[in-house]
Amino acid sequence: MFWNLGMSAQDTGVACQQAFNYKVEKNEYGSYVLQVKPYVKAPCGHPVSDMEKKNKLWGVLVCYTVDGQQKVKRQDMTYDIKTKGFYQTYLSYSEDSPVSDVQLFYFDASKDSSTYPEKSCSFFNRK
């Protein structure tokens, strides 16, 4: 298990990149699970109370490796953060498929979808 404070892959603004932290851990069934939590009251400049006005506020692009194969997910975290206080997704459903090289990029999902990051890992492995 590990926690990582806001991972910045591109220079897209501090409001989103430094608003969340995450951990990856195995659950009781051996699946690898990613959990993202905001650690500020207004991630990406949107307080949780804004959820009443908009359906989409906080997004995440997840790049990771499973069994040496690169994977990518682009997800809206808003509903889960509003209702549970965190966002959770499975990265691998088996302990025989280890997960590594997890990198996250947070974005403001309240903006037009044309501004969302491309669903690719073009920044993967950049320092």
Side-chain angles (χ1 to χ4, degrees):
M1 174 180 71
F2 60 90
W3 280 101
N4 188 321
L5 299 180
M7 199 141 204
S8 178
Q10 301 173 8
D11 184 19
T12 57
V14 174
C16 288
Q17 300 313 310
Q18 296 181 353
F20 300 95
N21 58 27
Y22 75 90
K23 68 179 175 179
V24 176
E25 63 186 354
K26 276 199 227 182
N27 66 11
E28 65 272 16
Y29 306 108
S31 300
Y32 288 83
V33 180
L34 167 72
Q35 188 177 91
V36 178
K37 289 183 182 180
Y39 67 92
V40 296
K41 292 183 180 183
C44 303
H46 301 290
V48 174
S49 61
D50 278 2
M51 175 64 181
E52 314 304 328
K53 302 172 196 159
K54 297 182 181 182
N55 290 342
K56 295 182 178 183
L57 297 175
W58 311 292
V60 64
L61 177 71
V62 184
C63 293
Y64 59 103
T65 303
V66 177
D67 285 334
Q69 185 176 13
Q70 191 179 75
K71 305 282 185 178
V72 62
K73 290 183 177 196
R74 187 178 62 200
Q75 306 285 302
D76 176 22
M77 305 184 294
T78 307
Y79 181 79
D80 287 351
I81 288 174
K82 174 65 178 176
T83 58
K84 298 187 251 179
F86 62 92
Y87 168 76
Q88 183 171 297
T89 188
Y90 287 88
L91 300 179
S92 170
Y93 292 98
S94 168
E95 61 186 316
D96 295 331
S97 298
V99 172
S100 62
D101 300 324
V102 178
Q103 296 185 33
L104 278 72
F105 171 73
Y106 307 103
F107 61 94
D108 186 341
S110 71
K111 295 182 178 177
D112 186 79
S113 62
S114 65
T115 67
Y116 294 0
E118 192 175 310
K119 191 175 176 183
S120 72
C121 294
S122 59
F123 66 86
F124 197 74
N125 290 329
R126 286 188 191 168
K127 300 287 181 194

